[in-house]
Amino acid sequence: MNHAGMDHGDMDHGDHGGMEDMCSMSMLFTWDTTNLCIVFRQWHIRSTPGLIFSLAAVVLLAMGYEALRALSRRFEASVDRRMSALPRSSHPDISKQGHLIKAVFYGVQTFYAFMLM
């Protein structure tokens, strides 16, 4: 049998050193910090203290998201109070401005939520 086309000894597999730093795709709960990335590819964890710090940072990010949602609800309630206190002729201006700001809040919240997923 001729093995001329099957000789793998000359194949260049390249340097695998670059593969070591790729993000792990494990979705299981783990304390393994090997190649673990959080939120962004640049947020690369390489040690247990880094993992603990990153978990605290994720909690702070989630708290920030909830604070943004609370701020958005308070703003909506404020717009509703202003609209009910003012005459009908002022409603279109307040309504347009309120809708624009609510849309910005919604966009930021949506981006934030997708980032945290």
Side-chain angles (χ1 to χ4, degrees), residues 14-83:
D15 182 18
H16 293 289
M19 296 294 283
E20 291 176 12
D21 220 23
M22 287 183 66
C23 294
S24 170
M25 296 303 285
S26 176
M27 300 297 266
L28 301 174
F29 181 77
T30 180
W31 287 101
D32 183 15
T33 59
T34 307
N35 297 323
L36 183 61
C37 294
I38 295 181
V39 183
F40 304 108
R41 199 173 288 257
Q42 294 81 9
W43 191 345
H44 204 120
I45 301 192
R46 294 178 176 86
S47 65
T48 301
L51 176 63
I52 292 168
F53 172 77
S54 293
L55 291 175
V58 167
V59 168
L60 290 174
L61 283 171
M63 289 172 64
Y65 175 72
E66 289 301 323
L68 181 66
R69 288 183 60 200
L71 183 65
S72 175
R73 284 192 298 267
R74 271 187 268 156
F75 175 77
E76 287 181 33
S78 170
V79 168
D80 290 343
R81 278 193 306 272
R82 278 190 286 161
M83 285 184 66

